[in-house]
């Protein structure tokens, strides 16, 4: 795995943190802990964290607020830990910028699998591929870089992944649900989430790419 990924586990239950630490360290991850939201935010802002597991119900600052604040500064994967039956909360967390969620009571091996999947997605698991190009736009998945006429364009992680999904399969109708599953790894988000990120791509790429809206369906990247 190379250098060990650093995972921050945020929960006010010591036993749960200890359980997750045991399983994550067994898989070779370096584990840090925080028992409240303010401590979690402080640790995240120091940098050096590759992924955070964050309980929703936290003292001082709840998990939603931790996600909301850190998303203005960092794009690291965040997996929320929620209680069973809180579907509305899970959706709210994803819309704030969380990448995934697990429901208590959970299987520790399942959490490890989700951590592995999110880290793989964040680091880019299409290694060794040729850059994707249409017109003057080039997207390099290995370097996580997008250029227009050789000039680098700064995209958020989600905008980058969304553009990559469209570039891999141009001239095809992509439904919003399919894009949510491919880019966010979940269909629990509102379809409007895709619309917002498409608007961001259009604003940043201008006339270099044409992304057509398909009424009642989704989007198509014109080649």
């Amino acid at each position: 795995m190379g250098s060990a990924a650093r995972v921050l586990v945020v929960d006010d239950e010591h036993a749960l943190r200890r359980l997750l630490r045991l399983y994550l360290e067994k898989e070779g991850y370096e584990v840090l802990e925080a028992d409240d939201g303010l401590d979690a935010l402080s640790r995240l802002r120091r940098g050096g964290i590759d992924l955070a597991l964050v309980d929703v119900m936290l003292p001082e600052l709840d998990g939603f607020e931790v996600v909301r604040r850190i998303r203005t500064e960092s794009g690291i994967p965040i997996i929320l830990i929620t209680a069973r039956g809180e579907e509305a909360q899970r959706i709210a967390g994803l819309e704030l910028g969380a990448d995934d969620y697990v429901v208590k009571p959970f299987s520790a091996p399942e959490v490890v699998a989700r951590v592995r999947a999110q880290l793989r997605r964040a680091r880019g698991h299409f290694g060794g591929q040729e850059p994707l190009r249409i017109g003057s736009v080039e997207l390099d998945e290995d370097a996580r870089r997008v250029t227009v006429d050789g000039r680098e364009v700064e995209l958020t992680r989600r905008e980058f992944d969304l553009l990559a999904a469209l570039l891999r399969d141009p001239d095809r109708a992509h439904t919003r649900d399919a894009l949510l599953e491919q880019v966010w790894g979940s269909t629990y988000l509102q379809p409007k989430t895709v619309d917002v990120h498409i608007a961001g791509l259009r604003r940043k790429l201008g006339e270099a790419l044409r992304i057509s809206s398909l009424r009642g369906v989704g989007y198509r990247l014109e080649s």
Side-chain angles (χ1 to χ4, degrees):
M1 183 167 39
S3 59
R6 304 182 82 200
V7 178
L8 176 65
V9 177
V10 187
D11 199 291
D12 59 346
E13 295 181 35
H14 175 74
L16 187 141
R17 296 199 312 272
R18 184 177 180 183
L19 174 68
L20 290 175
R21 174 186 281 276
L22 177 67
Y23 275 85
L24 288 165
E25 288 183 341
K26 185 178 179 182
E27 291 297 315
Y29 298 111
E30 182 179 346
V31 179
L32 296 85
E33 298 181 25
D35 59 7
D36 65 60
L38 288 176
D39 187 23
L41 199 59
S42 174
R43 288 176 178 268
L44 287 165
R45 284 174 168 165
R46 287 178 218 156
I49 305 294
D50 297 298
L51 179 145
L53 280 159
V54 181
D55 190 22
V56 170
M57 302 300 293
L58 290 171
E60 304 297 338
L61 204 68
D62 70 28
F64 291 150
E65 187 63 16
V66 171
V67 172
R68 189 186 70 79
R69 293 191 190 185
I70 204 60
R71 271 294 171 256
T72 66
E73 308 168 25
S74 171
I76 69 164
I78 299 174
I79 301 176
L80 283 177
I81 302 172
T82 70
R84 183 176 298 278
E86 296 176 344
E87 181 175 352
Q89 286 196 348
R90 296 199 295 272
I91 294 171
L94 290 168
E95 290 184 329
L96 281 171
D99 297 274
D100 198 0
Y101 64 85
V102 291
V103 180
K104 294 180 180 180
F106 52 72
S107 157
E110 177 194 358
V111 176
V112 173
R114 288 175 181 264
V115 166
R116 188 183 302 116
Q118 289 298 330
L119 286 171
R120 187 167 60 242
R121 179 179 285 126
R123 290 174 171 178
H125 54 281
F126 300 96
Q129 286 197 354
E130 289 294 315
L132 300 168
R133 299 183 184 88
I134 284 185
S136 62
V137 176
E138 178 176 296
L139 182 146
D140 187 332
E141 292 182 282
D142 292 341
R144 300 285 295 182
R145 179 182 296 118
V146 172
T147 58
V148 176
D149 287 324
R151 175 181 58 84
E152 187 165 354
V153 178
E154 185 176 345
L155 301 180
T156 67
R157 182 160 65 91
R158 293 305 189 194
E159 288 171 345
F160 182 95
D161 292 342
L162 180 58
L163 179 59
L166 295 171
L167 283 169
R168 287 187 211 110
D169 212 349
D171 298 316
R172 174 187 173 186
H174 297 264
T175 67
R176 289 176 175 82
D177 280 349
L179 290 170
L180 285 172
E181 182 64 40
Q182 187 173 352
V183 176
W184 281 266
S186 172
T187 56
Y188 275 97
L189 287 155
Q190 294 295 324
K192 186 178 179 181
T193 301
V194 177
D195 301 340
V196 170
H197 286 77
I198 289 288
L201 286 176
R202 286 171 169 163
R203 184 178 66 255
K204 293 178 180 181
L205 298 175
E207 297 181 358
L209 277 185
R210 181 184 170 196
I211 304 173
S212 297
S213 300
L214 307 176
R215 186 182 297 274
V217 179
Y219 297 94
R220 180 177 62 231
L221 175 62
E222 310 292 350
S223 63

